[in-house]
Structure formats: structure tokens, C-alpha cells
């Protein structure tokens, strides 16, 4: 595949066969909340996204169910899977997932909000769950200083004009807020806190407006955990999963010990090729492969890691149609979705004007697979790691109610929910202080910041890299630059081969003081492929450091290829 090229961002203007009545907007949130009344989000409060979605969702069709799909006994994954057979059909879920049940004790949480019985001056006295008393939480107050939207988002501006958001242990009881330390520091539900779940549900509807009725969100501890759970839900040892031919290394490493094999789909500068995906599935030979046809696709559509490729709207539509044709469930991993950048215009050209409004920013974003998902076949993974801070270990999953309920059952016996401190900090930042409008302003700020970083590394490539043997294209999103080296022009190409040349370049780079990652480390099928790539990130290094790093990389390439 060639390095990804910048693409024109085309906003979705219609959705075939689906009409959205009065979708939720940023300006519509406050009135909806006012009608809904006070948020009941106490300790371990039972909650779900249905409490926070707009009424317009009720008119949409319901999602497809995934527990009773077509089943061919001759193509069963393995003999054990036959236990799932019932009347000629079977679960899409793995045996592990199908066996999960709702937790017994946590199911009682719905009773904790029972009102006081005035005749006895008593409410429900909780002697049930093992919730410790907040009297023994040794944190009385938490203060965080955050940027104010009006004062600007830089570190210097935050020091000068940032606001201090204060949280006490008993703010809710004292009428000072909707979330406090007595709640955040205690146990919670697998859904995550009602306070933060409300925000991400509203945000998901504003940005994506899924075209089916029974979609839900659930808080996660990040996309890596969400991916692990998805594989446990939809695959079993010996299965195959589809992914781009170059894929996120951690996804590959997550699947490997589970015994899940990956089939790489050919890519071009817009990411995975739908025709390649269709060909793989249409010509699947159970006897040759030793396993049934894949039923799951893992993809990073925007700012793909490692290639930086971004699927256009038309490409996403075609991928979805192939998924429908072969009944494929899609794992949409989108940590870089909001790192979509301004179009690259070149060193001496005028910059593209930034979005002038929230609506203009939202229209500039490529539609997600979730927004095209009429069936409920997309499991979308969002994360605060790339847009707020990775140490929060907080993200969210959006899928149909049936799927989210299974995720919550898994949460209850594993991660439970994200850190209460992280949820509280994110709530204070995003909901209580910024609001949806302020969060969009922050995302616009990130868009412009990453555009500048992308331009810096591309300028350096144009200055220092020998174009006769190395090529690249400015990415349209994400934080990675994918560089292809024509190793066939190496003076010892035939004697050494691509693997040795790649290793020598890596070692020379480290010795010269620059770290770039070999492309072979990201191959979905490790022994397939004869191209030579290196990945560089422009996310963290200062501009002068990036320039120097590319200069050193260029020197290594010139010396390796004997270029003056």
C-alpha cells in the first residue's frame, strides 16, 4: 500500500432510508435536562443511556439481535459450539459471553433510591451490599485547576485565567452539586456513573445520532480493555478476525493469546479496501483455513494506527455494505476521531480557515460507521486518552442495548467501572464547567494544534528526506506519519533482503538518536508482506525536536542507500 494521502472531508448530508426527527443539538441539552428534572446519581446508582437520550430515538427502528443468527452445523467453529444450537440457529456470541448473567447483588441497586416512608421516618436501610461508609474515605476535598473556555486552553493561559473546580465529600447532600467524593470514591455500577454516562450519551447523540432506537453507551476503562472484552464476546479460540493488513499492534497482541487469528485486508491510501474484504469472505475455504468464515471486522477508520489512513465517507459506506452482505460485526476503534485536521496546503500556502462555529466543526467531521449503522452491527469504542489524558483510563462503548448489557455483565466481574476519581475529574471538567459547547471548543483547539504538528513533521520530511527512495503523504487525521522506503533501490537489496535492511535502519536510527517504528511490527499477518515502512509520531515532541529527528532519520537513509 502507498502512504495515506490527505482526503477531502465530506460531511454526511443524508442517510439512506432513515429520517432523523429533531436530533439533539448542543443548544438543546439544557432544556432537555430541565424537563428531565434532578439527576439521581447516588452511590452505586443503577443507570443506563435510555435515561438520557432524546425522545426522537423512539421513532427509529430497533437493532438486529445477535444471539440467534443463521447457523450451519457443517461450518461450526468447533464441536463445542454445537451446544449453542437451538432449532437450527445459534448464538453469534462466544460460549463465555452467552453464559454470562446479570449479577445478583448489584441488581438490587435499583432499590437504593426508594423514597423515605414518612409513616415510619424510614427509607430503605441498606444492610445488603458491601458498600463502605464514606466516613472512612481519607479524602475530604479535591480541587483541580482547569482551562476556562473564555480564557484559552494553553498551559500559560490556564495558569493565568484557569478556574479552580472544588469537590467536597458531601456536596450532593449539601445541595452544592450532582457528584461528590462520597459517591466517586465508593463502589459503582458496571455502567459507570450516571453523571458521566449522561454526558457521553448526549455527546454521542449530538455527534453521531445512531440511526436505530435501542443504542446505548457504557463507560469503559479505555479502548484496549474494550477490545479485549469484544474479542471475548464475539470470538473463540481458533476463530479468524478481519483487520487492516497493518493494524494496531496491541490489538494483534490482544488477539494472539486468545488463539484468534487475523486475516489482513489489503489497504490503499484511504485504508482497507472493501473489494479485498469481499473477496476474502466470498472465497473463504473452511477446509483450507481450518475454521469458519470470519464474523468480526476490527478497523480504525480515522487516523489509522499505524498508517495514518482515513476512510472517506464513500469508503465507509462500502465497508458497511460488505459487512451487511457477509453478516460481519464491526469493531470500530476510534481514539483518533477528533484528531481530524485541516487540509494540508503546503509550506507557503495560506492556512485553511478554522471552523467558525460548533455546527461547522461537526459538519467537518467524517461520519462514523456508527452514524451509518442501520442494523446495530457496530461496536464503537471511544476514548478520552487522545483528547483529554490517557491516564484517566476512561472511555465509552456505543452499541445496541443487547450488546451493552453483555458488556456490563462482563464489567461487573472484571474491571467493574473506571476509577471514580477519573470519572469525577472528567465530570467536573466536561459537564459542570465546559458543557458540550466548551468541549467542542476544546476539540476545535486540538484540531488546530494537531494540524500545526502534522505540518511541522511534513515540512521536515520535505526538507531532509531523499524522495528518490522514500515517500509519504500528509495524514488527514491522527498522530502518525507513515513513510514507505523503496528498499529495492538499496545497493545490497538482493543480498540482504527487506528484513535485514529494515533492522539495520532501525539500529542506525537508534544510534543516531532518533526512534521510529518498523512497519513490519504492525503486520496483521506477521510473515506476509515485502514492503518497507517506518512510522513516526508527531504527537509529543516539540517542533524543533521533530525537525531534528527527521533530519537524523534522513541522514540514516542517505547513508544506508549511499545517497549524497
Amino acid at each position: 500500500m502507498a502512504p495515506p494521502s490527505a482526503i477531502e472531508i465530506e460531511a454526511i448530508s443524508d442517510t439512506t432510508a432513515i429520517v432523523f426527527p429533531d436530533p439533539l443539538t448542543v443548544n438543546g441539552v439544557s432544556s432537555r435536562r430541565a424537563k428531565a428534572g434532578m439527576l439521581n446519581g447516588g452511590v452505586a446508582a443503577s443507570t443506563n443511556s435510555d435515561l438520557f437520550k432524546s425522545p426522537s430515538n423512539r421513532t427509529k427502528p430497533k437493532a438486529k439481535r445477535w444471539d440467534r443468527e443463521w447457523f450451519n452445523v457443517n461450518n461450526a467453529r468447533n464441536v463445542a459450539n454445537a451446544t449453542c444450537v437451538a432449532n437450527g440457529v445459534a448464538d453469534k456470541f462466544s460460549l463465555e459471553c452467552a453464559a454470562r448473567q446479570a449479577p445478583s447483588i448489584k441488581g438490587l441497586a435499583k432499590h437504593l433510591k426508594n423514597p423515605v416512608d414518612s409513616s415510619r421516618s424510614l427509607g430503605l436501610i441498606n444492610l445488603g451490599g458491601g458498600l463502605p461508609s464514606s466516613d472512612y474515605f481519607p479524602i475530604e476535598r479535591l480541587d483541580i485547576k482547569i482551562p476556562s473556555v473564555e480564557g484559552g486552553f494553553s498551559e500559560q493561559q490556564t495558569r493565568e485565567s484557569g478556574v479552580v473546580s472544588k469537590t467536597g465529600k458531601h456536596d450532593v447532600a449539601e445541595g452544592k452539586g450532582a457528584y461528590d467524593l462520597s459517591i466517586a470514591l465508593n463502589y459503582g455500577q458496571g455502567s459507570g456513573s450516571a453523571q458521566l454516562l449522561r454526558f457521553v450519551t448526549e455527546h454521542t447523540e449530538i455527534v453521531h445520532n445512531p440511526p436505530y432506537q435501542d443504542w446505548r453507551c457504557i463507560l469503559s476503562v479505555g479502548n484496549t480493555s474494550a477490545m479485549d472484552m469484544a474479542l471475548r464476546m464475539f470470538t473463540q479460540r481458533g476463530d479468524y478476525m478481519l483487520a487492516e493488513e497493518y493494524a494496531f499492534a496491541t490489538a494483534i497482541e490482544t488477539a494472539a493469546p486468545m488463539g484468534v487469528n487475523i486475516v489482513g485486508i489489503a489497504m490503499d491510501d484511504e485504508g482497507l479496501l472493501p473489494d479485498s474484504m469481499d473477496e476474502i469472505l466470498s472465497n473463504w475455504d473452511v477446509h483450507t483455513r481450518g475454521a469458519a468464515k470470519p464474523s468480526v471486522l476490527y478497523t480504525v477508520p480515522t487516523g489509522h494506527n499505524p498508517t495514518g489512513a482515513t476512510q472517506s465517507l464513500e469508503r465507509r459506506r462500502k465497508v458497511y455494505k460488505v459487512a451487511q452482505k457477509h453478516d460481519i460485526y464491526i469493531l470500530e476503534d476510534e481514539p483518533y476521531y477528533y484528531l481530524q485536521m485541516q487540509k494540508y496546503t503546503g509550506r507557503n500556502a495560506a492556512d485553511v480557515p478554522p471552523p467558525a462555529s460548533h455546527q461547522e466543526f461537526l459538519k467537518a467531521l467524517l461520519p462514523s460507521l456508527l452514524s451509518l449503522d442501520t442494523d446495530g452491527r457496530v461496536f464503537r469504542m471511544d476514548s478520552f486518552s487522545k483528547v483529554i489524558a490517557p491516564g484517566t483510563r476512561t472511555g465509552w462503548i456505543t452499541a445496541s442495548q443487547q450488546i451493552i448489557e453483555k458488556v456490563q455483565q462482563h464489567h461487573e466481574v472484571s474491571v467493574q467501572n473506571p476509577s471514580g476519581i477519573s470519572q469525577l475529574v472528567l465530570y467536573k471538567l466536561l459537564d459542570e464547567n465546559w458543557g458540550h459547547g466548551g468541549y467542542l471548543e476544546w476539540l476545535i483547539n486540538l484540531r488546530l494544534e494537531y494540524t500545526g504538528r502534522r505540518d511541522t513533521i511534513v515540512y521536515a520530511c520535505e526538507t531532509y528526506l531523499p524522495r528518490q527512495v522514500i515517500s509519504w503523504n500528509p495524514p488527514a487525521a491522527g498522530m502518525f506519519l507513515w513513510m514507505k522506503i523503496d528498499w529495492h533501490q538499496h545497493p545490497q537489496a538482493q543480498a540482504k533482503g527487506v528484513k535485514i535492511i529494515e533492522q539495520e535502519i532501525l539500529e542506525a536510527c537508534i544510534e543516531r538518536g532518533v526512534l521510529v517504528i518498523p512497519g513490519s511490527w504492525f503486520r496483521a499477518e506477521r510473515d506476509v508482506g515485502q514492503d518497507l515502512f517506518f512510522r513516526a509520531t508527531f504527537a509529543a515532541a516539540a517542533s524543533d525536536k521533530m525537525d531534528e529527528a527527521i533530519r537524523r532519520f534522513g541522514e540514516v537513509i542517505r547513508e544506508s542507500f549511499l545517497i549524497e
Side-chain angles (χ1 to χ4, degrees):
M1 61 166 289
S5 59
I7 63 173
E8 293 288 346
I9 304 298
E10 178 186 357
I12 190 168
S13 57
D14 70 324
T15 302
T16 305
I18 297 294
V19 177
F20 302 130
D22 302 322
L24 184 65
T25 64
V26 172
N27 294 332
V29 169
S30 58
S31 61
R32 279 205 63 251
R33 288 190 179 186
K35 291 178 182 178
M38 183 181 297
L39 176 67
N40 185 348
V43 175
S46 178
T47 189
N48 67 70
S49 284
D50 290 347
L51 301 172
F52 312 123
K53 288 156 57 177
S54 67
S56 64
N57 287 280
R58 298 170 191 161
T59 64
K60 299 174 183 177
K62 286 196 172 184
K64 182 176 181 177
R65 289 192 63 84
W66 298 96
D67 52 348
R68 298 184 66 77
E69 291 298 315
W70 59 264
F71 183 76
N72 183 337
V73 174
N74 294 324
N75 290 342
R77 289 167 173 165
N78 49 51
V79 175
N81 218 11
T83 60
C84 291
V85 180
N87 300 321
V89 295
D91 287 350
K92 277 279 191 179
F93 296 136
S94 68
L95 297 176
E96 175 187 343
C97 178
R100 291 196 185 280
Q101 301 293 323
S104 53
I105 294 179
K106 283 205 171 183
L108 295 172
K110 61 186 178 183
H111 300 296
L112 296 179
K113 59 185 179 182
N114 283 357
V116 170
D117 183 342
S118 57
S119 65
R120 293 180 294 166
S121 299
L122 292 174
L124 181 72
I125 300 174
N126 181 17
L127 300 181
L131 301 173
S133 169
S134 62
D135 291 350
Y136 309 119
F137 299 162
I139 303 174
E140 184 65 26
R141 179 170 140 177
L142 180 68
D143 295 354
I144 56 171
K145 190 170 187 179
I146 58 179
S148 68
V149 177
E150 298 78 12
F153 295 114
S154 72
E155 287 187 341
Q156 183 62 36
Q157 289 170 323
T158 303
R159 292 189 196 101
E160 295 173 354
S161 61
V163 298
V164 176
S165 181
K166 302 178 179 180
T167 306
K169 187 183 283 188
H170 301 292
D171 285 354
V172 174
E174 295 169 0
K176 297 178 181 178
Y179 201 14
D180 61 26
L181 289 166
S182 73
I183 298 170
L185 294 177
N186 218 315
Y187 284 110
Q189 295 290 322
S191 58
S193 69
Q195 292 85 347
L196 190 57
L197 181 64
R198 177 177 66 175
F199 184 89
V200 301
T201 299
E202 292 167 345
H203 174 77
T204 298
E205 187 169 353
I206 290 167
V207 177
H208 306 288
N209 197 14
Y212 61 93
Q213 178 185 144
D214 50 332
W215 63 272
R216 283 186 178 180
C217 298
I218 188 170
L219 297 186
S220 71
V221 296
N223 287 15
T224 300
S225 171
M227 176 65 178
D228 175 86
M229 292 188 183
L231 289 177
R232 291 182 180 277
M233 288 174 64
F234 294 106
T235 66
Q236 296 184 151
R237 185 167 294 276
D239 281 357
Y240 278 84
M241 176 178 71
L242 299 164
E244 288 93 346
E245 61 180 333
Y246 291 90
F248 177 39
T250 300
I252 298 171
E253 292 158 0
T254 300
M258 295 184 185
V260 177
N261 306 296
I262 298 180
V263 181
I265 303 170
M267 303 176 71
D268 64 6
D269 57 3
E270 286 189 21
L272 73 84
L273 290 163
D275 288 345
S276 173
M277 177 178 165
D278 186 35
E279 181 181 6
I280 290 169
L281 293 168
S282 297
N283 298 316
W284 190 267
D285 189 315
V286 174
H287 300 291
T288 300
R289 295 280 190 173
K293 187 167 72 172
S295 61
V296 174
L297 165 67
Y298 169 76
T299 181
V300 182
T302 310
H304 177 262
N305 183 3
T307 70
T310 295
Q311 297 173 19
S312 65
L313 172 57
E314 185 59 29
R315 176 64 57 88
R316 294 172 197 234
R317 285 174 171 160
K318 289 180 178 179
V319 168
Y320 190 81
K321 286 181 179 179
V322 174
Q324 287 181 309
K325 175 182 176 181
H326 295 280
D327 206 17
I328 300 297
Y329 196 80
I330 302 172
L331 308 181
E332 181 184 25
D333 189 3
E334 281 284 39
Y336 312 105
Y337 184 75
Y338 293 109
L339 302 186
Q340 295 181 48
M341 295 171 278
Q342 304 289 89
K343 182 179 179 181
Y344 181 73
T345 54
R347 188 188 295 268
N348 298 316
D351 293 336
V352 176
S357 66
H358 297 155
Q359 192 62 26
E360 189 174 311
F361 168 67
L362 292 173
K363 286 184 177 180
L365 296 173
L366 277 162
S368 61
L369 288 169
L370 175 66
S371 72
L372 306 175
D373 183 20
T374 54
D375 298 339
R377 69 173 63 250
V378 172
F379 183 101
R380 180 181 170 88
M381 296 171 277
D382 278 284
S383 175
F384 288 116
S385 291
K386 303 302 188 292
V387 295
I388 298 293
T392 63
R393 302 316 308 142
T394 304
W396 71 98
I397 300 163
T398 307
S400 65
Q401 176 180 338
Q402 181 195 22
I403 303 301
I404 295 301
E405 287 175 348
K406 285 295 184 182
V407 174
Q408 182 159 349
Q409 289 168 11
H410 194 158
H411 275 184
E412 300 290 12
V413 295
S414 58
V415 298
Q416 299 212 2
N417 46 254
S419 159
I421 292 289
S422 290
Q423 293 188 70
L424 177 62
V425 168
L426 287 168
Y427 168 79
K428 301 294 280 190
L429 173 69
L430 299 174
D431 193 298
E432 190 172 285
N433 282 275
W434 285 357
H436 287 284
Y439 184 44
L440 293 183
E441 289 291 335
W442 169 253
L443 295 176
I444 292 170
N445 170 68
L446 282 184
R447 180 186 182 96
L448 302 180
E449 289 290 323
Y450 271 85
T451 297
R453 287 182 163 276
R454 185 271 317 271
D455 291 353
T456 294
I457 200 168
V458 172
Y459 295 162
C461 290
E462 292 172 351
T463 302
Y464 301 117
L465 300 186
R467 294 197 180 204
Q468 57 267 50
V469 297
I470 186 168
S471 59
W472 65 90
N473 283 304
M479 53 177 59
F480 304 112
L481 182 70
W482 191 238
M483 298 172 287
K484 183 176 183 179
I485 298 173
D486 184 2
W487 67 273
H488 297 283
Q489 294 193 48
H490 193 280
Q492 294 181 287
Q494 291 186 344
K496 292 184 174 181
V498 63
K499 291 184 179 180
I500 293 177
I501 293 172
E502 178 187 68
Q503 185 63 27
E504 288 180 349
I505 291 174
L506 173 62
E507 292 173 358
C509 283
I510 294 172
E511 185 176 344
R512 194 65 61 95
V514 57
L515 183 61
V516 289
I517 308 299
S520 65
W521 294 8
F522 301 97
R523 286 196 189 113
E525 299 177 75
R526 290 299 169 94
D527 296 327
V528 176
Q530 286 295 310
D531 289 327
L532 178 55
F533 293 97
F534 278 89
R535 189 198 76 174
T537 179
F538 48 88
S543 295
D544 60 332
K545 298 295 184 183
M546 272 195 282
D547 185 84
E548 175 61 16
I550 294 299
R551 187 191 68 79
R552 295 176 186 180
F553 180 60
E555 287 183 348
V556 169
I557 299 300
R558 290 178 185 278
E559 291 177 7
S560 178
F561 282 77
L562 303 181
I563 297 172
E564 294 294 333

